[in-house]
Amino acid sequence: MGHLGQNILNYELENGVNMCCDEDCSKNEINTTLIQYAVKDLLTGLGEDINREGIIKTPLRVAKALCDGTRGYSQSAKEIVEGALFPEAGVDNTKVGHAGGVGGLVIVRDLEFYSYCESCMLPFYFKCHVGYVPSGQRVLGLSKLSRVTNVFAKRLQEPQRLADEVCFALHQGIEPAGVAVVLQCTHINIPDTVFDTNHKGLVETLVSSGSGVFENKDADMWGDVFGLLKFRGIDKDKVHVKGSLDQYWCPSLSSKIGEINPIMVTAVSSILKSLGEDPTRKELVGTPSRYVKWLMNFQYCSDIDGKLKLNGSPWSGEVNFDEKEVHSELNLPFWSQCEHHLLPFHGVVHIGYFISKGCHPIEKSLLQSIVLFYGFKLQVQERLTKQIAETISPLIGGNVIVVVEASHTCMVSRGIEKFGSNTATIAVLGRFSIDLAAKTAFLESIPK
Amino acid sequence: MGHLGQNILNYELENGVNMCCDEDCSKNEINTTLIQYAVKDLLTGLGEDINREGIIKTPLRVAKALCDGTRGYSQSAKEIVEGALFPEAGVDNTKVGHAGGVGGLVIVRDLEFYSYCESCMLPFYFKCHVGYVPSGQRVLGLSKLSRVTNVFAKRLQEPQRLADEVCFALHQGIEPAGVAVVLQCTHINIPDTVFDTNHKGLVETLVSSGSGVFENKDADMWGDVFGLLKFRGIDKDKVHVKGSLDQYWCPSLSSKIGEINPIMVTAVSSILKSLGEDPTRKELVGTPSRYVKWLMNFQYCSDIDGKLKLNGSPWSGEVNFDEKEVHSELNLPFWSQCEHHLLPFHGVVHIGYFISKGCHPIEKSLLQSIVLFYGFKLQVQERLTKQIAETISPLIGGNVIVVVEASHTCMVSRGIEKFGSNTATIAVLGRFSIDLAAKTAFLESIPK
């Protein structure tokens, strides 16, 4: 019992486990409560004060988001397809023309979703292109291709299995000549060398799945699919080959796990169980440790001076405001974890400050270290921006502008699902607050 | 009573009107039922058989979609904001730095929504950029900027009022130094001359609204907003000036309305009432007539020969398969109305056929007429593709490939809200079904 989180233990002692409960609603309530206790253990393990105002409701938000994000376990693709099959003449196999006569391929492209990675429990984004060749004189309502995909997206997943499950469910439901599914998946990844600015901080993989006339991946019919996708940046030759050795798309699978807090690991196992998953399933056995390892990147640490030795290399630049020049340090990457939802947000930081001609700017690596330091903790973007500005300000003479641009997983992997949205925050200190021309010059130096 | 639709009349006679009903749920049920009767009147007015299998459930789907798409009338922005304000040190007005100390502008960009045009009841798409400058040491959860926008989007709207309402609600809720809202709105538009291929079939407008430090549209603070938006194709100088004369963004407002079926007009008025709107509100007085005028573009008509005189100009081209060449006629625009949801879908058609060297291709205007003819009726994309292929096939020797690419409003303005998705369908007749090289050549000729 030593590994069991204290909060969970308390709850189970008070309320019992394996209670007989037939009603879904109170079962969900118990699960949500159990997840909240587990999240409290995780926050405690990170060194956070779970009663701090900003995070006091985080356990509830995380529990709700996780239950919502895995609602696919209780949904049925069959029910979605039934009742949305419409009779349509001319899509049988008797006419001239391949694959169902003149009613050939129907494909819906560029559907955006997120799912949860079964290896590390982080949300991953994917763009789905899903098509089928009608048969039996009936077609499916277009939105159902999206809805069925979402049933399987809202589970703990791995790209290839996700594609296979969507393909299988649609084939069973529509009984068409064939189904084709192509997924472009993107997973957050903190690169080993964060100073490599060419690294996008993301891992991408492309998978496909086919049934019927698409069963054989070299079938001619795939030509129609990729013919209509090639303008969307999809190269058939880059599709992951099933069972090939490069199967570890999740970065957590290829990195070593050191010593891990057992209470936190137990807490994650308990979450998996509450979501209806089996933590002993082969693919999930290491998931709690991998998630905790990710989380520990964001362990509480207030000691920037001790950690970065900011006073070690004082800036030698000077500012003569008669010959003022704005120096821009652009696109410094960062990774952070939203303290309201325990979900990643990441992006780039742009920093501007005044410098006299001929003077050396402050070392870029120092600025990058400051940016990373404030990213690697539970954060909100507004605070991150402020902390970076306030830390840099005394180093470069008090006049600084900081812009943070970030994609928030919490804007995507929860109810609102606003794909493609991006948040920008600005902090302005000293002269930049009155010198409009300098501020404009800096903002214009930021690349798209 | 002559103007009252028969179906509505029947319902009201059977069930009574103005029933005393305090429970929202049965009220909604009555409203949904009333809308269904009204939609049956509209379908009948279009010359459709309301018992046809493809559209028999259309009234129910339309009623559900309209109730869902106007749910903002019963939502409260205040409730959304309350409970999502987080304490955050350092964003007060006492520190050096403009507009709230180092906690400056926070802006969420590229949020996608749809709303319903109050002038013609068609859905319109908009991209929203919404920001504020925190004050009083608190920040708002980022997703709430999106949620509040959606409350006002889910009503019958006009772009400027929508921006003003979002701005006002956020200002009241957050009590910040100021709120800035920029909306890029897009409305479907059938151009007068459909053969103008430069016309995108859309009308766009850009509006903004500001409070507090953004109250004055020339305030310096707007520089921060547009500085961070300029990379997103937004030009400050193109923002619509409030109260300016070019106020008719909805195309229906600048076109004349001729004779209109009064039963259909009454049906739309009844729908407005069921949605909780006042059909006598100044902006809505002409809406039923304008919506019916739009709908009548899609009146049932089966007589393509009588309408287009397809036999008037026989094709003079020849095909010698030894010197076969694929001729592509690309990007023929079309507009149609989805028969499952009574919502527009529009896009382009690409047509390929064989022709011998030196021969003239078939007249483009004839192909465009065929495309438009099959678009202007209640449709599904699969059938549209098949009908175009089958009509063109005998004209050009039996070998034809047709690709239709379309954006469906029903994929956006209903539950799934999949912005940016696009559906492609292919019909292949004759030689194209066995000649893979010819098909590939045609698919590759389709531009992005």
Side-chain angles (χ1 to χ4, degrees):
Chain A
M1 291 293 280
H3 286 194
L4 195 63
Q6 198 56 43
N7 285 314
I8 297 174
L9 186 60
N10 289 346
Y11 180 79
E12 291 184 351
L13 285 174
E14 273 171 42
N15 301 280
V17 278
N18 296 324
M19 288 184 288
C20 178
C21 171
D22 289 331
E23 286 171 36
D24 266 1
C25 122
S26 61
K27 200 166 140 194
N28 283 344
E29 217 169 277
I30 291 168
N31 286 339
T32 311
T33 311
L34 279 172
I35 295 173
Q36 288 189 62
Y37 280 105
V39 174
K40 283 178 191 170
D41 279 346
L42 293 175
L43 290 171
T44 307
L46 285 172
E48 293 284 345
D49 168 10
I50 56 170
N51 293 313
R52 175 160 72 80
E53 208 169 349
I55 61 170
I56 195 163
K57 286 186 185 164
T58 295
L60 179 62
R61 278 187 290 262
V62 173
K64 280 185 177 174
L66 280 172
C67 290
D68 186 62
T70 55
R71 65 181 181 273
Y73 288 116
S74 59
Q75 291 176 330
S76 151
K78 202 168 162 239
E79 278 172 27
I80 290 172
V81 172
E82 278 172 4
L85 286 166
F86 298 96
E88 201 57 55
V91 285
D92 58 40
N93 294 316
T94 61
K95 294 203 180 174
V96 180
H98 74 64
V102 289
L105 176 67
V106 176
I107 184 163
V108 179
R109 303 170 296 186
D110 296 330
L111 294 164
E112 296 182 294
F113 298 93
Y114 78 95
S115 182
Y116 279 90
C117 173
E118 69 178 9
S119 302
C120 69
M121 282 186 64
L122 292 181
F124 69 91
Y125 164 85
F126 69 98
K127 196 172 261 194
C128 171
H129 316 280
V130 54
Y132 73 105
V133 176
S135 179
Q137 310 246 8
R138 51 191 201 164
V139 297
L140 185 70
L142 296 173
S143 69
K144 301 305 178 286
L145 295 167
S146 173
R147 287 190 195 274
V148 168
T149 304
N150 207 31
V151 166
F152 298 98
K154 295 290 171 288
R155 299 178 182 191
L156 295 181
Q157 279 291 7
E158 182 276 325
Q160 185 64 57
R161 194 179 64 236
L162 174 56
D164 290 343
E165 289 181 353
V166 171
C167 183
F168 181 78
L170 286 172
H171 196 91
Q172 295 292 104
I174 315 176
E175 296 177 15
V179 173
V181 178
V182 177
L183 308 181
Q184 295 171 279
C185 304
T186 305
H187 193 303
I188 194 169
N189 179 25
I190 303 178
D192 294 334
T193 313
V194 286
F195 299 103
D196 172 9
T197 50
N198 287 326
H199 197 294
K200 287 190 292 181
L202 299 167
V203 177
E204 290 172 352
T205 192
L206 181 60
V207 297
S208 70
S209 189
S211 67
V213 294
F214 300 101
E215 181 88 45
N216 176 353
K217 74 178 177 49
D218 297 316
D220 286 351
M221 279 305 291
W222 273 109
D224 288 19
V225 172
F226 284 100
L228 291 166
L229 292 185
K230 78 176 157 31
F231 316 109
R232 290 177 157 68
I234 297 195
D235 182 349
K236 189 184 175 182
D237 297 333
K238 289 191 178 158
V239 175
H240 173 83
V241 179
K242 280 191 206 187
S244 70
L245 283 177
D246 61 325
Q247 63 187 296
Y248 293 149
W249 95 297
C250 172
S252 78
L253 285 168
S254 49
S255 75
K256 278 187 189 162
I257 303 211
E259 215 172 292
I260 295 281
N261 177 336
I263 294 175
M264 294 173 81
V265 172
T266 305
V268 181
S269 287
S270 140
I271 291 174
L272 288 173
K273 227 167 131 186
S274 299
L275 295 176
E277 265 290 1
D278 170 13
T280 65
R281 166 156 83 82
K282 188 179 62 166
E283 295 83 0
L284 295 179
V285 167
T287 300
S289 303
R290 288 188 289 263
Y291 180 68
V292 171
K293 191 192 170 193
W294 161 269
L295 217 50
M296 290 308 282
N297 284 314
F298 307 97
Q299 193 173 8
Y300 182 73
C301 172
S302 64
D303 185 16
I304 188 167
D305 286 330
K307 200 156 180 180
L308 290 182
K309 295 185 184 130
L310 289 188
N311 301 322
S313 56
W315 183 49
S316 61
E318 287 170 22
V319 179
N320 172 351
F321 281 108
D322 294 333
E323 47 150 354
K324 67 180 180 187
E325 203 168 76
V326 175
H327 179 78
S328 301
E329 205 65 75
L330 304 171
N331 288 321
L332 303 167
F334 78 92
W335 288 264
S336 195
Q337 190 88 348
C338 163
E339 74 176 25
H340 299 152
H341 307 96
L342 276 195
L343 283 169
F345 67 102
H346 68 111
V348 289
V349 178
H350 315 293
I351 298 165
Y353 55 94
F354 291 98
I355 189 170
S356 285
K357 273 177 192 162
C359 281
H360 284 293
I362 194 167
E363 271 179 60
K364 184 177 173 178
S365 62
L366 176 61
L367 297 180
Q368 177 69 72
S369 299
I370 292 169
V371 165
L372 291 172
F373 175 82
Y374 285 111
F376 283 129
K377 52 186 72 219
L378 297 193
Q379 270 290 13
V380 297
Q381 185 175 332
E382 294 88 338
R383 190 189 312 145
L384 173 68
T385 315
K386 167 183 168 284
Q387 288 175 332
I388 293 170
E390 287 182 340
T391 304
I392 291 171
S393 170
L395 303 179
I396 43 80
N399 309 294
V400 68
I401 179 165
V402 174
V403 169
V404 178
E405 299 189 281
S407 300
H408 287 252
T409 323
C410 62
M411 292 292 278
V412 169
S413 68
R414 287 167 54 245
I416 64 167
E417 299 199 16
K418 289 296 175 194
F419 298 98
S421 77
N422 188 287
T423 301
T425 41
I426 307 185
V428 181
L429 281 177
R431 245 188 118 86
F432 280 99
S433 62
I434 48 170
D435 189 337
L436 194 63
K439 193 169 70 172
T440 305
F442 170 74
L443 290 177
E444 282 181 358
S445 74
I446 300 174
K448 185 172 180 166
Chain B
M1 291 295 279
H3 286 193
L4 195 62
Q6 198 56 43
N7 285 313
I8 297 174
L9 185 62
N10 290 345
Y11 180 79
E12 289 185 352
L13 285 174
E14 274 171 42
N15 301 280
V17 281
N18 296 324
M19 289 183 287
C20 178
C21 171
D22 288 332
E23 285 172 36
D24 266 0
C25 123
S26 60
K27 201 166 140 194
N28 283 344
E29 216 170 277
I30 292 168
N31 287 339
T32 310
T33 310
L34 280 172
I35 295 173
Q36 288 189 61
Y37 279 105
V39 174
K40 284 179 190 170
D41 280 344
L42 293 175
L43 291 171
T44 306
L46 284 172
E48 294 283 347
D49 168 11
I50 57 170
N51 294 313
R52 175 159 73 80
E53 208 171 348
I55 60 169
I56 195 162
K57 285 186 186 163
T58 296
L60 179 62
R61 279 188 290 262
V62 173
K64 279 185 177 172
L66 280 172
C67 290
D68 186 61
T70 55
R71 65 181 181 273
Y73 289 116
S74 59
Q75 291 177 329
S76 150
K78 203 169 160 236
E79 277 172 27
I80 291 172
V81 172
E82 278 171 6
L85 285 166
F86 297 96
E88 202 55 56
V91 285
D92 58 38
N93 295 316
T94 59
K95 293 204 181 172
V96 180
H98 74 63
V102 290
L105 177 67
V106 177
I107 184 163
V108 179
R109 303 169 296 186
D110 296 330
L111 294 164
E112 296 182 294
F113 297 94
Y114 78 94
S115 183
Y116 278 90
C117 173
E118 67 178 11
S119 302
C120 68
M121 283 186 63
L122 292 181
F124 69 90
Y125 164 85
F126 69 97
K127 196 170 260 193
C128 171
H129 315 281
V130 54
Y132 72 106
V133 175
S135 180
Q137 310 246 7
R138 52 191 199 163
V139 297
L140 184 70
L142 295 173
S143 68
K144 300 305 178 285
L145 294 168
S146 173
R147 286 189 195 275
V148 168
T149 304
N150 207 31
V151 167
F152 297 98
K154 294 292 171 285
R155 300 178 182 192
L156 294 181
Q157 278 292 6
E158 182 276 325
Q160 184 65 58
R161 194 179 64 236
L162 173 56
D164 290 343
E165 288 180 355
V166 171
C167 183
F168 182 77
L170 285 172
H171 196 90
Q172 295 291 104
I174 316 174
E175 297 177 14
V179 173
V181 178
V182 177
L183 309 181
Q184 295 171 279
C185 304
T186 305
H187 193 304
I188 195 170
N189 179 24
I190 303 178
D192 294 334
T193 314
V194 286
F195 299 102
D196 172 8
T197 49
N198 287 325
H199 196 293
K200 286 191 292 180
L202 300 167
V203 178
E204 290 173 350
T205 192
L206 181 60
V207 297
S208 70
S209 189
S211 68
V213 294
F214 299 101
E215 180 88 46
N216 176 352
K217 73 178 178 50
D218 297 316
D220 286 350
M221 278 305 289
W222 274 109
D224 288 19
V225 172
F226 284 100
L228 290 167
L229 292 185
K230 78 174 157 32
F231 316 108
R232 287 175 160 70
I234 297 196
D235 182 349
K236 188 185 175 182
D237 297 332
K238 290 192 178 156
V239 175
H240 173 83
V241 179
K242 279 191 205 186
S244 69
L245 284 179
D246 61 325
Q247 62 187 296
Y248 293 149
W249 95 296
C250 172
S252 77
L253 286 168
S254 49
S255 74
K256 278 187 191 164
I257 301 208
E259 217 171 291
I260 295 282
N261 178 337
I263 293 174
M264 294 173 81
V265 172
T266 305
V268 182
S269 286
S270 140
I271 291 174
L272 288 174
K273 228 167 130 185
S274 298
L275 295 175
E277 264 290 0
D278 171 13
T280 65
R281 168 156 82 81
K282 189 179 62 166
E283 295 83 359
L284 295 179
V285 167
T287 300
S289 302
R290 288 188 290 262
Y291 180 68
V292 171
K293 191 190 169 192
W294 162 269
L295 217 50
M296 290 307 283
N297 284 315
F298 308 96
Q299 192 174 8
Y300 181 73
C301 171
S302 63
D303 185 17
I304 188 168
D305 286 330
K307 201 157 179 179
L308 290 182
K309 293 182 185 132
L310 288 188
N311 300 321
S313 55
W315 183 48
S316 61
E318 286 169 23
V319 179
N320 173 349
F321 280 108
D322 293 333
E323 47 152 354
K324 69 183 179 186
E325 204 168 77
V326 175
H327 180 78
S328 300
E329 206 64 76
L330 303 171
N331 287 320
L332 302 168
F334 78 93
W335 287 264
S336 196
Q337 190 88 348
C338 163
E339 73 176 26
H340 299 153
H341 308 96
L342 276 197
L343 283 169
F345 68 102
H346 68 110
V348 289
V349 178
H350 315 293
I351 298 166
Y353 55 94
F354 291 98
I355 187 168
S356 284
K357 273 177 193 162
C359 282
H360 284 293
I362 195 167
E363 272 179 58
K364 184 177 174 179
S365 62
L366 176 60
L367 296 181
Q368 177 70 73
S369 298
I370 293 169
V371 164
L372 291 172
F373 175 81
Y374 286 110
F376 284 130
K377 51 187 70 220
L378 296 193
Q379 270 289 13
V380 297
Q381 185 174 333
E382 295 87 340
R383 190 190 311 147
L384 173 69
T385 315
K386 166 183 169 285
Q387 289 176 332
I388 293 171
E390 287 183 339
T391 305
I392 290 171
S393 170
L395 303 179
I396 44 81
N399 309 294
V400 68
I401 180 166
V402 174
V403 169
V404 178
E405 299 190 279
S407 300
H408 287 252
T409 323
C410 62
M411 291 291 280
V412 169
S413 67
R414 288 166 54 246
I416 65 169
E417 299 198 17
K418 288 296 175 194
F419 298 98
S421 77
N422 189 287
T423 300
T425 42
I426 307 186
V428 182
L429 280 177
R431 247 188 116 84
F432 280 99
S433 62
I434 49 170
D435 189 338
L436 194 62
K439 194 169 70 172
T440 305
F442 170 74
L443 289 177
E444 282 181 357
S445 73
I446 300 174
K448 186 172 180 164

